[in-house]
Amino acid sequence: MARKTGSHSEITGPRVREAALTLFARHGFAAVSMRQIAREVGVQAGALYLYTKDKQSLLFDLMRTHMDELLAAWAIEPKGDTALDALEAFSRFHIRFHLERPDAVFIAYMELRNLTDENFAAIEALRRQYEGELEAILRAGQEAGELDLSDIRLSSMAIIAMLTGVNTWYREGGRLSREAVADRYWDMVKGAVGA
Amino acid sequence: MARKTGSHSEITGPRVREAALTLFARHGFAAVSMRQIAREVGVQAGALYLYTKDKQSLLFDLMRTHMDELLAAWAIEPKGDTALDALEAFSRFHIRFHLERPDAVFIAYMELRNLTDENFAAIEALRRQYEGELEAILRAGQEAGELDLSDIRLSSMAIIAMLTGVNTWYREGGRLSREAVADRYWDMVKGAVGA
DNA sequence: CTTGGATATGAACGATTGTTCAGTTACCAA
DNA sequence: TTGGTAACTGAACAATCGTTCATATCCAAG
């Protein structure tokens, strides 16, 4: 027995990454075995190695894809004219983007310690790049006199932590819609930066 | 060979928890073996079971102890007269307390999924209790007209996420002292609640 | 000096881990 | 119709996992 009818590489490959994403998010990278992922896909464990070099690469690919998509999505996001407009765009974008892929976000923040040193450095660089986007906005706002900040780097970290925190409590179909949440968080961000 | 000279339960017990705390924080619960913990303590793996029922209990004990200490410390913290005073006290306390025990904080936030359902419920209840402390302050401030909030629960989650976020980037001996960080975060919290 | 309980060892248990690989099957192009 | 190759199986590998337990040693009390 081998090779079930109608199976194709273009189908199985993405399914492996989907299953890994879900399982890693739910149970943690170290707690999930290659056999569990294979079972979820409906395949034997050995077949996974047609689609990934090893377990570590599977994790790294998920995280790098996520960060790449994050940066790419922000790059094409309309940012308005003023720094304050850009800050609002960033706040709403961050919440929306992160709420759309909670599993990937969870993994990207929780499984950093399970990366090899080299892979960690790569992901960390991408994260720094994203933080840099916000810092640039804050700096522009500061120079334009639109914002009142005592420390740009610190404000950047505070804002990102606050916005990402939505993912820890937001549940679909809850009391507030995503838009309502974004409205209120933007209010708080605005207040925090003295605008 | 067994029982080295001068070994005592009162020494080994805490050392087991210390080692588990450090290793769980660094590598994650699932990635740390009982033998690694034992090696760190300078003992064989079997000896750990004189101090913990099993690996799960070891994790749960660390988390419950942390949450108990958090609630106990906040209970005796001076809170001032007004709701705004209490909010400042909470902000400064939260940062100080969490920066003092980064490993325990890390574990308490990252290893929830490795708890059994029962243990998870217990920790979750303690966390809710802590969040309730902040919500009570915000509610009092709202009613006294000191604060301008559109949603108390949401503001509470945003503030906690923002404050806890300090742990992800703060490094001892860095650019800012703990006090300086707390000063700036209090400014941002104040702004976020419209005060 | 004897004894008993506390503290620890070290070997062993079955289960599971990530990964490899020879063999088997299904599909597609010729 | 045939042959080649992409896709997959199923077994196997050594290593490691959490946990138990018979055994050994140490220390304090009688």
Side-chain angles (χ1 to χ4, degrees):
Chain A
M1 291 151 259
R3 185 100 193 268
K4 307 243 187 80
T5 305
S7 302
H8 295 318
S9 175
E10 314 92 67
I11 294 179
T12 308
R15 295 230 308 147
V16 168
R17 285 184 284 275
E18 273 171 44
L21 189 78
T22 304
L23 290 171
F24 287 168
R26 180 138 53 222
H27 307 292
F29 173 75
V32 172
S33 72
M34 294 300 269
R35 284 169 181 82
Q36 285 177 59
I37 298 172
R39 191 180 323 128
E40 188 78 14
V41 176
V43 105
Q44 292 296 316
L48 299 181
Y49 291 85
L50 294 168
Y51 305 101
T52 184
K53 189 173 147 293
D54 51 24
K55 199 188 175 192
Q56 166 74 204
S57 302
L58 192 49
L59 174 63
F60 177 62
D61 281 352
L62 292 175
M63 294 178 70
R64 197 187 43 188
T65 298
H66 171 68
M67 294 306 297
D68 284 346
E69 288 176 355
L70 174 65
L71 288 166
W74 171 243
I76 63 168
E77 185 78 6
K79 300 175 178 63
D81 294 328
T82 69
L84 205 61
D85 287 343
L87 183 57
E88 177 171 2
F90 183 91
S91 299
R92 295 186 183 277
F93 164 80
H94 188 96
I95 290 176
R96 169 167 36 87
F97 187 90
H98 283 67
L99 280 184
E100 273 166 6
R101 31 176 78 64
D103 285 348
V105 170
F106 203 68
I107 290 173
Y109 277 79
M110 306 277 267
E111 303 295 355
L112 285 167
R113 61 187 168 187
N114 285 308
L115 291 173
T116 60
D117 290 350
E118 191 184 11
N119 288 343
F120 175 81
I123 299 297
E124 195 62 10
L126 293 172
R127 183 194 311 287
R128 283 283 186 169
Q129 196 177 328
Y130 183 65
E131 293 166 1
E133 296 286 325
L134 175 55
E135 287 176 35
I137 294 172
L138 296 181
R139 199 171 305 112
Q142 179 87 300
E143 288 166 2
E146 299 176 43
L147 309 179
D148 178 24
L149 306 169
S150 57
D151 191 299
I152 286 175
R153 169 81 182 142
L154 197 135
S155 293
S156 155
M157 296 308 285
I159 290 170
I160 288 181
M162 183 170 132
L163 296 176
T164 306
V166 174
N167 271 57
T168 67
W169 59 264
Y170 186 84
R171 294 295 169 263
E172 219 59 48
R175 189 163 53 85
L176 298 170
S177 70
R178 295 185 183 187
E179 289 74 17
V181 171
D183 288 345
R184 285 157 176 75
Y185 267 77
W186 165 233
D187 267 350
M188 290 190 281
V189 168
K190 207 166 29 171
V193 296
Chain B
M1 292 148 262
R3 182 97 195 272
K4 306 238 186 83
T5 305
S7 302
H8 295 319
S9 175
E10 314 92 64
I11 295 179
T12 308
R15 295 232 306 150
V16 168
R17 286 183 284 276
E18 272 171 45
L21 189 78
T22 304
L23 289 171
F24 287 168
R26 180 136 56 223
H27 307 293
F29 174 75
V32 172
S33 72
M34 294 299 271
R35 284 171 180 83
Q36 284 177 60
I37 298 172
R39 189 180 326 125
E40 188 78 13
V41 175
V43 106
Q44 293 296 315
L48 298 181
Y49 292 84
L50 294 167
Y51 305 100
T52 184
K53 187 172 148 294
D54 50 27
K55 200 188 175 192
Q56 166 73 207
S57 302
L58 191 49
L59 175 62
F60 177 62
D61 282 351
L62 292 175
M63 294 178 71
R64 197 185 45 186
T65 298
H66 171 68
M67 293 307 296
D68 284 346
E69 287 176 356
L70 174 65
L71 287 165
W74 170 244
I76 62 169
E77 185 78 6
K79 300 176 179 63
D81 295 329
T82 68
L84 206 60
D85 287 344
L87 183 56
E88 177 170 3
F90 183 91
S91 299
R92 294 185 183 279
F93 164 80
H94 189 96
I95 290 176
R96 171 167 34 87
F97 187 89
H98 283 66
L99 279 184
E100 273 167 5
R101 31 177 79 62
D103 285 348
V105 171
F106 204 68
I107 290 172
Y109 277 79
M110 306 277 265
E111 303 295 355
L112 285 167
R113 61 188 169 187
N114 284 307
L115 291 173
T116 60
D117 291 349
E118 191 183 12
N119 288 344
F120 175 81
I123 298 298
E124 195 62 11
L126 293 172
R127 184 194 309 285
R128 283 281 185 169
Q129 196 177 329
Y130 184 66
E131 291 166 2
E133 296 286 324
L134 175 54
E135 287 177 34
I137 294 172
L138 296 180
R139 199 172 304 113
Q142 180 86 301
E143 288 166 3
E146 298 176 43
L147 308 179
D148 177 25
L149 306 169
S150 56
D151 191 299
I152 286 175
R153 168 82 183 144
L154 197 136
S155 292
S156 154
M157 296 308 285
I159 290 169
I160 288 181
M162 182 170 134
L163 296 176
T164 306
V166 174
N167 271 59
T168 66
W169 59 265
Y170 185 84
R171 295 294 169 264
E172 218 59 48
R175 190 162 54 85
L176 297 168
S177 70
R178 295 184 183 187
E179 289 73 17
V181 171
D183 288 344
R184 284 156 175 75
Y185 267 77
W186 165 233
D187 266 350
M188 290 191 280
V189 168
K190 209 168 26 174
V193 296

